[in-house]
Amino acid sequence: MKKYLAILILAFAGLVGCSQPVPNDKLDYVGEWLSPEMYLLILADGTVAYERLKDGGKVSINGPMKGFKGNNFEVGIGLFATTFEVSQPPYFENGKWYMVVDGVKLKKSSEEL
């Protein structure tokens, strides 16, 4: 299912074509990040897919990355953009990658897309 989502996001990015590639010093962000309540996919070309379950509802954002501000990154087009707050950038611990985004600890999927 997630692989199909990645393909859909890639198709969307081709239509939009205005994402900023992930800079070399932020390539650790690239990948599929998971927790029970959050899914975050960041592709090297700057395409982002996000889904979060919260307070009985679901929020999703699919769009181009506008860029990084420190550890945080912004996703969207024009005025329709949101900033993801990264309180802990990607780090390697006990053989796995983790990152804390918007207060949620995410684990990087080891599965290749």
Side-chain angles (χ1 to χ4, degrees):
M1 178 72 176
K2 290 181 179 122
K3 289 185 182 189
Y4 295 115
L5 178 61
I7 292 168
L8 180 64
I9 296 308
L10 287 172
F12 174 75
L15 293 174
V16 174
C18 59
S19 62
Q20 295 292 318
V22 175
N24 288 337
D25 65 333
K26 301 289 189 187
L27 287 176
D28 288 343
Y29 285 72
V30 173
E32 185 177 44
W33 299 87
L34 309 162
S35 81
E37 70 270 18
M38 186 186 291
Y39 173 80
L40 176 63
L41 174 67
I42 302 172
L43 300 179
D45 71 355
T47 303
V48 177
Y50 165 83
E51 189 173 282
R52 183 170 184 184
L53 302 173
K54 187 175 180 181
D55 299 327
K58 180 169 86 171
V59 174
S60 10
I61 299 169
N62 300 312
M65 182 177 289
K66 292 179 75 172
F68 280 87
K69 293 179 183 171
N71 292 325
N72 302 334
F73 57 94
E74 191 173 17
V75 175
I77 301 168
L79 299 174
F80 301 101
T82 189
T83 299
F84 289 85
E85 293 186 23
V86 180
S87 54
Q88 259 189 299
Y91 63 96
F92 196 70
E93 179 178 86
N94 298 324
K96 303 217 183 280
W97 282 95
Y98 297 94
M99 172 169 60
V100 179
V101 179
D102 293 339
V104 178
K105 185 175 181 178
L106 302 168
K107 182 170 82 171
K108 193 174 197 177
S109 171
S110 57
E111 185 178 317
E112 289 294 320
L113 297 175

